[in-house]
Amino acid sequence: MMHLIDLSELTAQRGRFDFFLEQVRSRFGFDHVAYLGANPVAGTMHGYVTYPEEWKRLYIQKAFHLIDPTLTIAQRSISPVDWSRLEQTENFRKVFNIAHDFGITSHGLTIPVRGPYGDTGMLSVTLDTSGHEWKGRIASAIGELQSIAVHMHDAVMNSDAFSNVLRHSLLSSREIEILQWTAAGKTQQDIADILGISHRTVEVHLRSAREKLYSLTTPQAIARAIALHLIYPI
C-alpha cells in the first residue's frame, strides 16, 4: 500500500520541491535526499537537494556533476543503483573523499526515472550506517522510493508549461483497472481471479501500462498513473 506525499498540496515551486525532499528525508530517516532532472523539451535542468550549502557550492565549483558516477552511471541505468557498486571507481573516490569532509556518507542509492520526451530524473538518498542496516532499510523502502522518484520527477517536469501540454496517456480501461487493483495491493493472481482472466493476461496488461507510462517498474507506473489521476491512491 503506497501513501504518496502530494506535491500539489505545496505552494511556491522551488519551496515546495525543497520541502518535499525534507519530508522524504524525515519520513524515512535518511541523512540527505537529492533530485536532479533534465528536460530536453524545455531545455531546462532542475536540481533540489538537502545537502549543506558549502558542499553544494564546492560541488558546482569543481564541476563534480560531470564526473560523479552516482549521476553519470545511474543516468544510464534502468534500475536503482546502490553506490556500493561504484566505490572502486576513481571518480567515486575523488568526489566522496571530499564529500566526507562535509559529513556526507558514501552509503547511498540513486533511482533513475524516464519520461516520454527524453526527460530523465534521478532521486538519490543517503544514510550513514552499517552496510547491513543500509541494505535492510533500502529493501523495506525501495518500492515506495521508486514511486516517490516518479512523483517528484513528473511534478518537476510538469512545472515546465510546454511539457505539461504535451503529456498525456493512452491507457486502456483494462490497463487502468489492473493498475488500480495493483495499487490496492492485489497480486497478479488475485487480479486474474477477480477479473476472470489469466495470470498471463494480467502480466501483459501491466507490461503495456509500464511502456505507455514510460515507467521502469510497476510501482513507478502506479505512481505516474496516480499523478495523472488515472487511478487513485488506496
Side-chain angles (χ1 to χ4, degrees):
M1 184 180 300
M2 285 178 288
H3 302 283
L4 297 178
I5 302 166
D6 191 353
L7 285 168
S8 66
E9 294 178 355
L10 305 176
T11 58
Q13 185 169 301
R14 171 159 283 280
R16 71 182 180 131
F17 295 141
D18 288 338
F19 183 58
F20 177 70
L21 294 187
E22 289 292 349
Q23 284 185 299
V24 174
R25 175 163 75 163
S26 175
R27 178 161 149 194
F28 290 94
F30 291 126
D31 291 339
H32 292 290
V33 183
Y35 167 82
L36 177 67
N39 186 344
V41 172
T44 56
M45 291 192 69
H46 305 263
Y48 304 95
V49 302
T50 65
Y51 296 129
E53 288 296 326
E54 296 84 355
W55 172 241
K56 288 192 285 186
R57 286 195 294 270
L58 184 64
Y59 191 93
I60 294 171
Q61 183 183 56
K62 289 185 172 292
F64 279 157
H65 62 284
L66 299 177
I67 66 168
D68 185 351
T70 71
L71 300 179
T72 59
I73 293 179
Q75 188 176 36
R76 300 193 298 268
S77 178
I78 62 172
S79 58
V81 176
D82 193 299
W83 295 358
S84 61
R85 291 171 43 190
L86 313 172
E87 289 177 340
Q88 300 307 313
T89 65
E90 180 182 353
N91 284 337
F92 187 90
R93 292 194 296 269
K94 185 179 297 184
V95 172
F96 282 90
N97 283 346
I98 299 176
H100 286 156
D101 295 337
F102 293 83
I104 299 171
T105 181
S106 56
H107 278 153
L109 179 83
T110 298
I111 300 172
V113 181
R114 300 284 187 274
Y117 300 101
D119 49 291
T120 60
M122 289 173 285
L123 184 78
S124 298
V125 297
T126 70
L127 182 63
D128 189 6
T129 186
S130 69
H132 179 74
E133 169 66 19
W134 168 250
K135 289 180 181 178
R137 191 76 73 89
I138 290 303
S140 65
I142 186 62
E144 192 169 5
L145 286 174
Q146 289 189 82
S147 299
I148 287 171
V150 166
H151 197 48
M152 176 76 177
H153 178 72
D154 285 355
V156 172
M157 292 299 107
N158 284 335
S159 68
D160 289 320
F162 186 42
S163 299
N164 197 26
V165 170
L166 289 174
R167 287 172 179 273
H168 63 282
S169 172
L170 298 175
L171 291 188
S172 69
S173 58
R174 181 63 95 187
E175 289 163 353
I176 291 172
E177 187 176 24
I178 288 174
L179 278 180
Q180 184 66 75
W181 281 118
T182 304
K186 301 298 184 183
T187 67
Q188 290 188 23
Q189 189 57 59
D190 290 337
I191 298 170
D193 294 339
I194 291 169
L195 300 180
I197 57 180
S198 70
H199 177 280
R200 172 63 177 164
T201 300
V202 172
E203 185 179 337
V204 168
H205 282 303
L206 280 175
R207 184 185 307 117
S208 176
R210 288 195 299 269
E211 291 174 355
K212 290 179 180 179
L213 290 170
Y214 297 88
S215 299
L216 302 176
T217 66
T218 296
Q220 288 187 358
I222 290 171
R224 188 157 277 157
I226 289 172
L228 291 170
H229 304 293
L230 297 172
I231 65 174
Y232 301 94
I234 302 298

